Amino acid sequence: MNCQVANPQVTEADACAKPAAVTVRPAVDIVEEAGQFTIIADLPGVTQEQLTLETEQNKLTLRATGQVPQPVRGQRPGRRDVQFVHSFSLGAQVDREHIQAVLKHGVLRINLPKLQKAQPISVPVQVAG
Amino acid sequence: MTTLNVLNGLNGALRLQGDLERLFEALPRPVRYTADAVHTGEDQDNYYAEAVLPGVSPEHIGVTVEDNVLTIRAQRETPADGVRWLQRDRAQGEAVIRLRLSGTVDQARIGAEYRNGILTLTLPKAEVAKPRQIPVQVQ
């Protein structure tokens, strides 16, 4: 066991026990451009395998488990499991079939294209007679 | 300035202890990673410092040592002009983190690794700072 017990009231088993994952809401930016919305979420310590993104009806939910540094007395900083959870309501103008997401350097970028507006159709008028 | 007191490394680590926990207690506000999210520690051979810097390109992270002060500069991506902000939680601009080093760090061998938005610095201890076993002779 490589755990230090600084407080005499804490047993070695308690000191070495892995702390439960805390659930947090990630810091998120949302920007709107002409053709799309972009959601940018800080997910430090998260790898692609630890991330899920789901849509259900008008809700987009991201769940990710990452490991972020936490101090350990007198040792190399340990890592603590953190669960990032956040849901977004999708407006009617989001094209849900073409949502794309990229995870890079601990940041998730979700691109939500807007639905193409129906193009005006010109109806040819035939002149009778 | 964040101080990594390597003459008394344990105290230095303890001073920073709890920063992240305080951030997590801020629920339901989002967790915003600022330059405060730095944690230090040590083992027999090295001191360590870890900084949470999500979304920074590795070429925009600079680590320098001058006059026994280690400085981390990380330039976060600047948002594009002409977009409409609907929500803005994430830290912006440049993060600057300074750690004061003492002579017990082998400054020539400091290493830095950036992975998944977390920067880990490894600061090797100079030989004089490592624990030594003193042989006891029995007469």
Short mmCIF file of all heavy atoms in Angstrom, two decimals, chain A residues 23-33 40 42 44-47 67-69 71 73-77 79-80 82 84 105-107 109, chain B residues 10 14 17 20-21 24 27-28 30-31 33 39-42 48 50 52 54-55 58 83-90 92 114 116-118:
data_model
loop_
_atom_site.label_atom_id
_atom_site.label_comp_id
_atom_site.label_asym_id
_atom_site.label_seq_id
_atom_site.Cartn_x
_atom_site.Cartn_y
_atom_site.Cartn_z
N THR A 23 -19.96 14.06 -9.92
CA THR A 23 -20.63 14.45 -11.16
C THR A 23 -20.65 15.97 -11.24
O THR A 23 -21.04 16.64 -10.30
CB THR A 23 -22.07 13.91 -11.16
OG1 THR A 23 -22.01 12.48 -11.07
CG2 THR A 23 -22.79 14.29 -12.46
N VAL A 24 -20.19 16.47 -12.36
CA VAL A 24 -20.11 17.92 -12.54
C VAL A 24 -20.70 18.31 -13.89
O VAL A 24 -20.79 17.50 -14.80
CB VAL A 24 -18.67 18.44 -12.45
CG1 VAL A 24 -18.05 18.12 -11.12
CG2 VAL A 24 -17.82 17.88 -13.57
N ARG A 25 -21.08 19.56 -13.97
CA ARG A 25 -21.51 20.11 -15.25
C ARG A 25 -20.31 20.78 -15.88
O ARG A 25 -19.68 21.63 -15.26
CB ARG A 25 -22.63 21.12 -15.01
CG ARG A 25 -23.14 21.76 -16.28
CD ARG A 25 -24.51 22.36 -16.06
NE ARG A 25 -24.51 23.67 -15.43
CZ ARG A 25 -24.33 24.82 -16.10
NH1 ARG A 25 -24.13 24.81 -17.39
NH2 ARG A 25 -24.38 25.97 -15.46
N PRO A 26 -19.96 20.38 -17.08
CA PRO A 26 -18.77 20.99 -17.69
C PRO A 26 -19.01 22.44 -18.08
O PRO A 26 -20.15 22.86 -18.30
CB PRO A 26 -18.55 20.13 -18.94
CG PRO A 26 -19.89 19.57 -19.27
CD PRO A 26 -20.61 19.41 -17.97
N ALA A 27 -17.92 23.20 -18.16
CA ALA A 27 -18.01 24.56 -18.70
C ALA A 27 -18.29 24.46 -20.19
O ALA A 27 -17.64 23.69 -20.91
CB ALA A 27 -16.71 25.30 -18.45
N VAL A 28 -19.27 25.23 -20.66
CA VAL A 28 -19.74 25.09 -22.04
C VAL A 28 -19.88 26.47 -22.68
O VAL A 28 -20.40 27.39 -22.06
CB VAL A 28 -21.11 24.36 -22.06
CG1 VAL A 28 -21.76 24.47 -23.44
CG2 VAL A 28 -20.95 22.91 -21.67
N ASP A 29 -19.40 26.58 -23.91
CA ASP A 29 -19.70 27.74 -24.75
C ASP A 29 -20.68 27.28 -25.83
O ASP A 29 -20.55 26.17 -26.34
CB ASP A 29 -18.45 28.28 -25.45
CG ASP A 29 -17.46 28.93 -24.49
OD1 ASP A 29 -17.85 29.22 -23.34
OD2 ASP A 29 -16.31 29.14 -24.90
N ILE A 30 -21.62 28.14 -26.19
CA ILE A 30 -22.50 27.85 -27.32
C ILE A 30 -22.49 29.08 -28.23
O ILE A 30 -22.75 30.19 -27.75
CB ILE A 30 -23.94 27.53 -26.87
CG1 ILE A 30 -23.95 26.37 -25.87
CG2 ILE A 30 -24.81 27.18 -28.08
CD1 ILE A 30 -25.32 26.06 -25.28
N VAL A 31 -22.18 28.86 -29.49
CA VAL A 31 -22.18 29.98 -30.43
C VAL A 31 -23.07 29.65 -31.62
O VAL A 31 -23.26 28.49 -31.97
CB VAL A 31 -20.76 30.33 -30.94
CG1 VAL A 31 -19.89 30.79 -29.80
CG2 VAL A 31 -20.12 29.17 -31.65
N GLU A 32 -23.62 30.71 -32.18
CA GLU A 32 -24.48 30.55 -33.35
C GLU A 32 -23.83 31.28 -34.53
O GLU A 32 -23.39 32.42 -34.41
CB GLU A 32 -25.87 31.14 -33.09
CG GLU A 32 -26.80 31.00 -34.28
CD GLU A 32 -28.18 31.60 -34.02
OE1 GLU A 32 -28.37 32.22 -32.96
OE2 GLU A 32 -29.05 31.43 -34.89
N GLU A 33 -23.78 30.58 -35.64
CA GLU A 33 -23.32 31.18 -36.88
C GLU A 33 -24.44 31.05 -37.90
O GLU A 33 -25.49 30.47 -37.61
CB GLU A 33 -22.05 30.48 -37.37
CG GLU A 33 -20.87 30.70 -36.44
CD GLU A 33 -19.72 29.75 -36.73
OE1 GLU A 33 -18.93 30.06 -37.62
OE2 GLU A 33 -19.65 28.71 -36.07
N ILE A 40 -19.23 23.93 -27.36
CA ILE A 40 -17.83 23.63 -27.01
C ILE A 40 -17.80 23.35 -25.50
O ILE A 40 -18.19 24.21 -24.71
CB ILE A 40 -16.90 24.81 -27.34
CG1 ILE A 40 -17.11 25.25 -28.80
CG2 ILE A 40 -15.44 24.44 -27.12
CD1 ILE A 40 -16.59 26.64 -29.10
N ASP A 42 -15.58 21.84 -22.09
CA ASP A 42 -14.31 21.43 -21.49
C ASP A 42 -14.47 20.05 -20.84
O ASP A 42 -15.26 19.90 -19.89
CB ASP A 42 -13.89 22.43 -20.39
CG ASP A 42 -13.26 23.69 -20.96
OD1 ASP A 42 -12.94 23.70 -22.16
OD2 ASP A 42 -13.09 24.66 -20.19
N PRO A 44 -11.62 17.87 -19.61
CA PRO A 44 -10.23 17.47 -19.42
C PRO A 44 -10.11 16.04 -18.90
O PRO A 44 -10.92 15.60 -18.09
CB PRO A 44 -9.72 18.48 -18.37
CG PRO A 44 -10.94 18.92 -17.65
CD PRO A 44 -12.04 18.92 -18.67
N GLY A 45 -9.10 15.35 -19.42
CA GLY A 45 -8.85 13.99 -18.97
C GLY A 45 -9.76 12.94 -19.58
O GLY A 45 -9.71 11.78 -19.18
N VAL A 46 -10.57 13.36 -20.54
CA VAL A 46 -11.54 12.42 -21.14
C VAL A 46 -10.98 11.92 -22.47
O VAL A 46 -10.45 12.68 -23.27
CB VAL A 46 -12.89 13.14 -21.38
CG1 VAL A 46 -13.84 12.26 -22.18
CG2 VAL A 46 -13.53 13.51 -20.04
N THR A 47 -11.11 10.60 -22.70
CA THR A 47 -10.74 10.03 -24.00
C THR A 47 -12.02 9.67 -24.74
O THR A 47 -13.11 9.65 -24.17
CB THR A 47 -9.88 8.77 -23.82
OG1 THR A 47 -10.65 7.80 -23.11
CG2 THR A 47 -8.62 9.07 -23.05
N GLN A 67 -10.47 11.67 -15.89
CA GLN A 67 -9.66 11.65 -14.67
C GLN A 67 -8.91 12.96 -14.60
O GLN A 67 -8.12 13.28 -15.49
CB GLN A 67 -8.69 10.47 -14.71
CG GLN A 67 -9.43 9.14 -14.61
CD GLN A 67 -8.47 8.00 -14.41
OE1 GLN A 67 -7.49 7.89 -15.11
NE2 GLN A 67 -8.74 7.15 -13.45
N VAL A 68 -9.18 13.72 -13.58
CA VAL A 68 -8.50 15.00 -13.41
C VAL A 68 -7.61 14.94 -12.18
O VAL A 68 -7.86 14.15 -11.27
CB VAL A 68 -9.52 16.16 -13.28
CG1 VAL A 68 -10.31 16.33 -14.56
CG2 VAL A 68 -10.44 15.95 -12.11
N PRO A 69 -6.57 15.76 -12.15
CA PRO A 69 -5.64 15.70 -11.03
C PRO A 69 -6.30 16.05 -9.71
O PRO A 69 -7.19 16.89 -9.65
CB PRO A 69 -4.57 16.75 -11.38
CG PRO A 69 -4.72 16.98 -12.83
CD PRO A 69 -6.16 16.74 -13.15
N PRO A 71 -4.96 16.51 -5.46
CA PRO A 71 -3.78 16.45 -4.61
C PRO A 71 -3.80 15.22 -3.71
O PRO A 71 -4.84 14.81 -3.24
CB PRO A 71 -3.89 17.73 -3.78
CG PRO A 71 -5.33 18.08 -3.80
CD PRO A 71 -5.91 17.54 -5.06
N ARG A 73 -1.53 13.88 -0.39
CA ARG A 73 -0.54 14.38 0.55
C ARG A 73 0.85 13.82 0.27
O ARG A 73 1.07 12.62 0.34
CB ARG A 73 -0.92 13.96 1.96
CG ARG A 73 -1.76 14.96 2.69
CD ARG A 73 -2.32 14.33 3.95
NE ARG A 73 -3.59 14.97 4.28
CZ ARG A 73 -3.69 15.97 5.14
NH1 ARG A 73 -2.63 16.42 5.75
NH2 ARG A 73 -4.87 16.50 5.39
N GLY A 74 1.76 14.72 -0.05
CA GLY A 74 3.16 14.34 -0.13
C GLY A 74 3.50 13.36 -1.23
O GLY A 74 4.57 12.79 -1.25
N GLN A 75 2.56 13.15 -2.18
CA GLN A 75 2.87 12.22 -3.26
C GLN A 75 2.64 12.91 -4.59
O GLN A 75 2.17 14.03 -4.66
CB GLN A 75 1.92 11.01 -3.19
CG GLN A 75 2.07 10.18 -1.96
CD GLN A 75 1.10 9.01 -2.00
OE1 GLN A 75 0.75 8.51 -3.05
NE2 GLN A 75 0.65 8.61 -0.84
N ARG A 76 2.95 12.16 -5.63
CA ARG A 76 2.61 12.63 -6.96
C ARG A 76 1.11 12.87 -6.99
O ARG A 76 0.34 12.08 -6.44
CB ARG A 76 2.98 11.53 -7.96
CG ARG A 76 2.66 11.91 -9.37
CD ARG A 76 3.12 10.86 -10.34
NE ARG A 76 2.84 11.37 -11.66
CZ ARG A 76 3.46 10.96 -12.75
NH1 ARG A 76 4.37 10.04 -12.66
NH2 ARG A 76 3.16 11.47 -13.92
N PRO A 77 0.65 13.97 -7.64
CA PRO A 77 -0.79 14.22 -7.65
C PRO A 77 -1.54 13.01 -8.21
O PRO A 77 -1.15 12.44 -9.22
CB PRO A 77 -0.94 15.42 -8.59
CG PRO A 77 0.38 16.10 -8.54
CD PRO A 77 1.40 15.01 -8.33
N ARG A 79 -5.22 11.02 -9.43
CA ARG A 79 -6.29 11.36 -10.37
C ARG A 79 -7.62 10.95 -9.75
O ARG A 79 -7.72 9.94 -9.07
CB ARG A 79 -6.11 10.62 -11.70
CG ARG A 79 -4.89 11.07 -12.49
CD ARG A 79 -5.07 12.49 -12.97
NE ARG A 79 -3.89 13.03 -13.63
CZ ARG A 79 -3.70 13.01 -14.94
NH1 ARG A 79 -4.58 12.46 -15.73
NH2 ARG A 79 -2.62 13.54 -15.45
N ARG A 80 -8.60 11.78 -9.99
CA ARG A 80 -9.91 11.52 -9.46
C ARG A 80 -10.89 11.34 -10.62
O ARG A 80 -10.84 12.12 -11.57
CB ARG A 80 -10.34 12.70 -8.60
CG ARG A 80 -11.71 12.54 -8.00
CD ARG A 80 -11.97 13.66 -7.03
NE ARG A 80 -13.11 13.32 -6.19
CZ ARG A 80 -13.49 14.02 -5.15
NH1 ARG A 80 -12.83 15.09 -4.80
NH2 ARG A 80 -14.53 13.66 -4.43
N VAL A 82 -14.07 11.83 -12.58
CA VAL A 82 -15.08 12.87 -12.64
C VAL A 82 -16.05 12.52 -13.75
O VAL A 82 -15.63 12.16 -14.86
CB VAL A 82 -14.44 14.25 -12.93
CG1 VAL A 82 -15.51 15.31 -13.14
CG2 VAL A 82 -13.54 14.67 -11.78
N PHE A 84 -18.72 13.97 -16.21
CA PHE A 84 -19.28 15.19 -16.78
C PHE A 84 -20.63 14.85 -17.41
O PHE A 84 -20.70 13.93 -18.24
CB PHE A 84 -18.37 15.75 -17.87
CG PHE A 84 -17.00 16.17 -17.38
CD1 PHE A 84 -15.91 15.32 -17.50
CD2 PHE A 84 -16.80 17.41 -16.79
CE1 PHE A 84 -14.66 15.71 -17.06
CE2 PHE A 84 -15.56 17.80 -16.35
CZ PHE A 84 -14.48 16.95 -16.48
N HIS A 105 -7.77 17.46 -27.34
CA HIS A 105 -7.09 18.15 -26.23
C HIS A 105 -8.05 18.43 -25.07
O HIS A 105 -8.02 19.50 -24.45
CB HIS A 105 -6.48 19.47 -26.71
CG HIS A 105 -5.48 19.30 -27.81
ND1 HIS A 105 -4.56 18.29 -27.85
CD2 HIS A 105 -5.27 20.03 -28.94
CE1 HIS A 105 -3.82 18.39 -28.93
NE2 HIS A 105 -4.24 19.44 -29.62
N GLY A 106 -8.93 17.47 -24.78
CA GLY A 106 -9.82 17.64 -23.64
C GLY A 106 -10.97 18.59 -23.86
O GLY A 106 -11.59 19.04 -22.89
N VAL A 107 -11.27 18.90 -25.11
CA VAL A 107 -12.41 19.77 -25.42
C VAL A 107 -13.26 19.10 -26.50
O VAL A 107 -12.74 18.60 -27.50
CB VAL A 107 -11.93 21.15 -25.92
CG1 VAL A 107 -13.08 21.96 -26.51
CG2 VAL A 107 -11.32 21.94 -24.76
N ARG A 109 -16.14 19.54 -29.33
CA ARG A 109 -16.85 20.50 -30.19
C ARG A 109 -17.97 19.76 -30.90
O ARG A 109 -17.71 18.78 -31.62
CB ARG A 109 -15.92 21.11 -31.24
CG ARG A 109 -14.81 21.96 -30.68
CD ARG A 109 -13.97 22.53 -31.80
NE ARG A 109 -14.67 23.63 -32.46
CZ ARG A 109 -14.51 24.91 -32.13
NH1 ARG A 109 -13.67 25.24 -31.18
NH2 ARG A 109 -15.18 25.84 -32.75
N LEU B 10 6.28 19.16 1.00
CA LEU B 10 5.00 18.68 1.52
C LEU B 10 4.07 19.85 1.83
O LEU B 10 2.91 19.85 1.46
CB LEU B 10 5.23 17.85 2.78
CG LEU B 10 3.98 17.25 3.41
CD1 LEU B 10 3.32 16.28 2.43
CD2 LEU B 10 4.35 16.51 4.69
N LEU B 14 0.43 20.83 0.25
CA LEU B 14 -0.77 20.96 1.09
C LEU B 14 -1.44 22.30 0.90
O LEU B 14 -2.65 22.42 0.98
CB LEU B 14 -0.40 20.78 2.57
CG LEU B 14 0.04 19.38 2.95
CD1 LEU B 14 0.46 19.35 4.41
CD2 LEU B 14 -1.08 18.39 2.70
N GLN B 17 -3.78 22.06 -1.74
CA GLN B 17 -4.77 21.00 -1.63
C GLN B 17 -6.17 21.59 -1.49
O GLN B 17 -6.38 22.58 -0.81
CB GLN B 17 -4.46 20.15 -0.40
CG GLN B 17 -5.28 18.89 -0.34
CD GLN B 17 -4.78 17.99 0.76
OE1 GLN B 17 -4.06 18.46 1.63
NE2 GLN B 17 -5.13 16.76 0.73
N LEU B 20 -9.32 21.96 -6.24
CA LEU B 20 -10.26 21.32 -7.17
C LEU B 20 -11.56 20.98 -6.45
O LEU B 20 -12.64 21.16 -6.99
CB LEU B 20 -9.62 20.05 -7.74
CG LEU B 20 -10.17 19.60 -9.08
CD1 LEU B 20 -10.04 20.72 -10.11
CD2 LEU B 20 -9.43 18.37 -9.56
N GLU B 21 -11.42 20.53 -5.21
CA GLU B 21 -12.63 20.21 -4.46
C GLU B 21 -13.51 21.45 -4.32
O GLU B 21 -14.72 21.37 -4.44
CB GLU B 21 -12.27 19.68 -3.07
CG GLU B 21 -11.98 18.19 -3.03
CD GLU B 21 -10.63 17.87 -3.62
OE1 GLU B 21 -9.89 18.80 -4.01
OE2 GLU B 21 -10.31 16.71 -3.72
N PHE B 24 -15.39 21.90 -7.42
CA PHE B 24 -16.48 20.94 -7.60
C PHE B 24 -17.66 21.28 -6.69
O PHE B 24 -18.80 21.00 -7.02
CB PHE B 24 -16.00 19.53 -7.31
CG PHE B 24 -15.11 18.99 -8.38
CD1 PHE B 24 -14.11 18.10 -8.09
CD2 PHE B 24 -15.27 19.39 -9.70
CE1 PHE B 24 -13.28 17.61 -9.07
CE2 PHE B 24 -14.45 18.91 -10.69
CZ PHE B 24 -13.44 18.03 -10.37
N LEU B 27 -21.19 23.39 -7.63
CA LEU B 27 -22.39 22.96 -8.34
C LEU B 27 -23.59 23.78 -7.91
O LEU B 27 -23.68 24.16 -6.76
CB LEU B 27 -22.67 21.48 -8.04
CG LEU B 27 -21.84 20.49 -8.83
CD1 LEU B 27 -22.12 19.09 -8.35
CD2 LEU B 27 -22.15 20.60 -10.30
N PRO B 28 -24.57 24.06 -8.75
CA PRO B 28 -24.65 23.58 -10.13
C PRO B 28 -23.93 24.47 -11.13
O PRO B 28 -24.12 24.29 -12.31
CB PRO B 28 -26.15 23.58 -10.39
CG PRO B 28 -26.65 24.74 -9.58
CD PRO B 28 -25.77 24.80 -8.37
N PRO B 30 -21.02 25.59 -13.55
CA PRO B 30 -20.10 24.71 -14.27
C PRO B 30 -18.70 24.78 -13.71
O PRO B 30 -18.31 25.75 -13.07
CB PRO B 30 -20.14 25.25 -15.70
CG PRO B 30 -20.55 26.67 -15.54
CD PRO B 30 -21.45 26.72 -14.37
N VAL B 31 -17.95 23.71 -13.94
CA VAL B 31 -16.56 23.67 -13.52
C VAL B 31 -15.73 24.42 -14.53
O VAL B 31 -15.66 24.06 -15.69
CB VAL B 31 -16.06 22.22 -13.43
CG1 VAL B 31 -14.61 22.20 -13.00
CG2 VAL B 31 -16.90 21.45 -12.45
N TYR B 33 -12.09 25.75 -15.54
CA TYR B 33 -10.70 25.52 -15.22
C TYR B 33 -9.89 26.79 -15.43
O TYR B 33 -9.79 27.30 -16.52
CB TYR B 33 -10.14 24.36 -16.05
CG TYR B 33 -10.80 23.08 -15.65
CD1 TYR B 33 -11.86 22.57 -16.37
CD2 TYR B 33 -10.41 22.42 -14.50
CE1 TYR B 33 -12.50 21.43 -15.97
CE2 TYR B 33 -11.03 21.28 -14.09
CZ TYR B 33 -12.08 20.78 -14.83
OH TYR B 33 -12.71 19.65 -14.42
N HIS B 39 -1.94 21.29 -9.27
CA HIS B 39 -1.69 20.45 -8.11
C HIS B 39 -0.25 19.97 -8.14
O HIS B 39 0.27 19.66 -9.21
CB HIS B 39 -2.65 19.28 -8.08
CG HIS B 39 -4.06 19.75 -7.94
ND1 HIS B 39 -4.55 20.26 -6.76
CD2 HIS B 39 -5.04 19.86 -8.84
CE1 HIS B 39 -5.79 20.65 -6.94
NE2 HIS B 39 -6.13 20.42 -8.20
N THR B 40 0.35 19.95 -6.98
CA THR B 40 1.75 19.55 -6.91
C THR B 40 1.89 18.36 -5.98
O THR B 40 1.02 18.08 -5.15
CB THR B 40 2.61 20.71 -6.36
OG1 THR B 40 2.15 21.03 -5.05
CG2 THR B 40 2.53 21.93 -7.24
N GLY B 41 2.97 17.67 -6.14
CA GLY B 41 3.26 16.52 -5.28
C GLY B 41 4.68 16.07 -5.53
O GLY B 41 5.43 16.71 -6.27
N GLU B 42 5.04 14.98 -4.92
CA GLU B 42 6.40 14.48 -5.11
C GLU B 42 6.46 13.00 -4.81
O GLU B 42 5.60 12.45 -4.12
CB GLU B 42 7.37 15.23 -4.19
CG GLU B 42 7.12 14.99 -2.72
CD GLU B 42 8.17 15.66 -1.84
OE1 GLU B 42 9.37 15.42 -2.06
OE2 GLU B 42 7.79 16.41 -0.93
N TYR B 48 6.20 16.97 -8.89
CA TYR B 48 5.27 16.99 -10.01
C TYR B 48 4.34 18.19 -9.88
O TYR B 48 3.99 18.60 -8.78
CB TYR B 48 4.40 15.71 -10.05
CG TYR B 48 5.20 14.45 -10.21
CD1 TYR B 48 5.59 13.72 -9.09
CD2 TYR B 48 5.58 13.99 -11.46
CE1 TYR B 48 6.33 12.57 -9.22
CE2 TYR B 48 6.33 12.84 -11.61
CZ TYR B 48 6.70 12.13 -10.48
OH TYR B 48 7.45 10.99 -10.61
N GLU B 50 0.69 19.46 -11.95
CA GLU B 50 -0.27 19.19 -13.02
C GLU B 50 -1.23 20.36 -13.14
O GLU B 50 -1.78 20.83 -12.14
CB GLU B 50 -1.04 17.90 -12.74
CG GLU B 50 -0.14 16.68 -12.79
CD GLU B 50 -0.92 15.40 -12.92
OE1 GLU B 50 -1.81 15.14 -12.08
OE2 GLU B 50 -0.67 14.63 -13.85
N VAL B 52 -4.62 21.85 -15.31
CA VAL B 52 -5.75 21.50 -16.17
C VAL B 52 -5.94 22.63 -17.18
O VAL B 52 -6.32 23.74 -16.81
CB VAL B 52 -7.02 21.27 -15.33
CG1 VAL B 52 -8.18 20.85 -16.22
CG2 VAL B 52 -6.77 20.22 -14.26
N PRO B 54 -7.66 22.61 -20.65
CA PRO B 54 -8.32 21.98 -21.78
C PRO B 54 -8.35 22.88 -23.01
O PRO B 54 -8.50 24.10 -22.90
CB PRO B 54 -9.74 21.71 -21.27
CG PRO B 54 -9.93 22.65 -20.14
CD PRO B 54 -8.58 22.88 -19.54
N GLY B 55 -8.19 22.25 -24.18
CA GLY B 55 -8.40 22.95 -25.44
C GLY B 55 -7.27 23.81 -25.93
O GLY B 55 -7.45 24.63 -26.81
N PRO B 58 -0.84 22.11 -28.34
CA PRO B 58 0.48 21.96 -27.70
C PRO B 58 1.47 23.03 -28.13
O PRO B 58 2.31 23.45 -27.33
CB PRO B 58 0.92 20.56 -28.14
CG PRO B 58 -0.35 19.83 -28.42
CD PRO B 58 -1.33 20.85 -28.94
N VAL B 83 -19.55 35.76 -34.51
CA VAL B 83 -20.48 34.73 -34.06
C VAL B 83 -21.36 35.30 -32.95
O VAL B 83 -20.99 36.28 -32.29
CB VAL B 83 -19.75 33.46 -33.56
CG1 VAL B 83 -18.91 32.85 -34.65
CG2 VAL B 83 -18.91 33.78 -32.33
N ARG B 84 -22.49 34.69 -32.77
CA ARG B 84 -23.40 35.13 -31.72
C ARG B 84 -23.26 34.17 -30.54
O ARG B 84 -23.44 32.96 -30.69
CB ARG B 84 -24.83 35.10 -32.25
CG ARG B 84 -25.86 35.58 -31.28
CD ARG B 84 -27.23 35.66 -31.94
NE ARG B 84 -28.26 35.79 -30.92
CZ ARG B 84 -29.35 35.05 -30.87
NH1 ARG B 84 -29.60 34.14 -31.78
NH2 ARG B 84 -30.24 35.23 -29.90
N TRP B 85 -22.91 34.74 -29.39
CA TRP B 85 -22.70 33.91 -28.20
C TRP B 85 -24.04 33.66 -27.51
O TRP B 85 -24.71 34.60 -27.10
CB TRP B 85 -21.74 34.59 -27.22
CG TRP B 85 -20.34 34.61 -27.73
CD1 TRP B 85 -19.76 35.57 -28.50
CD2 TRP B 85 -19.35 33.61 -27.54
NE1 TRP B 85 -18.47 35.23 -28.80
CE2 TRP B 85 -18.19 34.03 -28.23
CE3 TRP B 85 -19.33 32.39 -26.86
CZ2 TRP B 85 -17.02 33.28 -28.24
CZ3 TRP B 85 -18.16 31.65 -26.88
CH2 TRP B 85 -17.02 32.09 -27.56
N LEU B 86 -24.38 32.38 -27.35
CA LEU B 86 -25.60 32.04 -26.62
C LEU B 86 -25.27 31.64 -25.18
O LEU B 86 -26.11 31.74 -24.30
CB LEU B 86 -26.31 30.87 -27.33
CG LEU B 86 -26.67 31.13 -28.81
CD1 LEU B 86 -27.34 29.91 -29.41
CD2 LEU B 86 -27.58 32.35 -28.94
N GLN B 87 -24.05 31.15 -24.97
CA GLN B 87 -23.59 30.79 -23.63
C GLN B 87 -22.08 30.85 -23.61
O GLN B 87 -21.43 30.48 -24.58
CB GLN B 87 -24.06 29.37 -23.26
CG GLN B 87 -23.69 28.95 -21.85
CD GLN B 87 -24.30 27.60 -21.47
OE1 GLN B 87 -25.41 27.28 -21.87
NE2 GLN B 87 -23.57 26.81 -20.72
N ARG B 88 -21.52 31.32 -22.51
CA ARG B 88 -20.07 31.49 -22.45
C ARG B 88 -19.58 31.20 -21.04
O ARG B 88 -19.58 32.06 -20.18
CB ARG B 88 -19.72 32.92 -22.87
CG ARG B 88 -18.30 33.11 -23.30
CD ARG B 88 -18.16 34.44 -24.01
NE ARG B 88 -16.82 34.62 -24.51
CZ ARG B 88 -16.45 35.63 -25.28
NH1 ARG B 88 -17.34 36.55 -25.63
NH2 ARG B 88 -15.22 35.74 -25.71
N ASP B 89 -19.15 29.94 -20.83
CA ASP B 89 -18.66 29.52 -19.51
C ASP B 89 -17.14 29.38 -19.47
O ASP B 89 -16.52 29.56 -18.43
CB ASP B 89 -19.20 28.12 -19.15
CG ASP B 89 -20.67 28.09 -18.87
OD1 ASP B 89 -21.24 29.15 -18.59
OD2 ASP B 89 -21.25 26.99 -18.92
N ARG B 90 -16.56 28.98 -20.60
CA ARG B 90 -15.17 28.51 -20.59
C ARG B 90 -14.19 29.66 -20.40
O ARG B 90 -14.44 30.78 -20.84
CB ARG B 90 -14.85 27.75 -21.89
CG ARG B 90 -15.75 26.56 -22.11
CD ARG B 90 -15.58 25.96 -23.48
NE ARG B 90 -14.22 25.52 -23.70
CZ ARG B 90 -13.44 25.96 -24.69
NH1 ARG B 90 -13.89 26.86 -25.53
NH2 ARG B 90 -12.23 25.49 -24.83
N GLN B 92 -11.17 32.06 -21.02
CA GLN B 92 -10.66 32.61 -22.28
C GLN B 92 -9.28 33.22 -22.05
O GLN B 92 -8.87 33.45 -20.92
CB GLN B 92 -11.59 33.71 -22.80
CG GLN B 92 -13.04 33.32 -22.92
CD GLN B 92 -13.31 32.43 -24.13
OE1 GLN B 92 -12.50 32.35 -25.03
NE2 GLN B 92 -14.46 31.77 -24.12
N TYR B 114 1.67 16.95 -22.33
CA TYR B 114 0.29 17.46 -22.42
C TYR B 114 -0.57 16.37 -23.03
O TYR B 114 -0.29 15.89 -24.13
CB TYR B 114 0.27 18.70 -23.30
CG TYR B 114 -1.09 19.35 -23.44
CD1 TYR B 114 -1.71 19.96 -22.36
CD2 TYR B 114 -1.75 19.37 -24.66
CE1 TYR B 114 -2.94 20.58 -22.49
CE2 TYR B 114 -2.98 19.99 -24.81
CZ TYR B 114 -3.57 20.59 -23.71
OH TYR B 114 -4.80 21.19 -23.85
N ASN B 116 -4.79 15.08 -23.29
CA ASN B 116 -6.23 15.24 -23.02
C ASN B 116 -6.53 16.49 -22.20
O ASN B 116 -7.38 16.48 -21.32
CB ASN B 116 -6.80 14.00 -22.31
CG ASN B 116 -6.65 12.74 -23.15
OD1 ASN B 116 -6.74 12.80 -24.37
ND2 ASN B 116 -6.41 11.62 -22.51
N GLY B 117 -5.79 17.55 -22.47
CA GLY B 117 -6.07 18.81 -21.81
C GLY B 117 -5.42 18.98 -20.45
O GLY B 117 -5.72 19.94 -19.74
N ILE B 118 -4.53 18.06 -20.08
CA ILE B 118 -3.86 18.16 -18.78
C ILE B 118 -2.35 18.20 -19.00
O ILE B 118 -1.79 17.34 -19.67
CB ILE B 118 -4.24 16.98 -17.86
CG1 ILE B 118 -5.75 17.01 -17.57
CG2 ILE B 118 -3.44 17.02 -16.56
CD1 ILE B 118 -6.28 15.78 -16.89
#
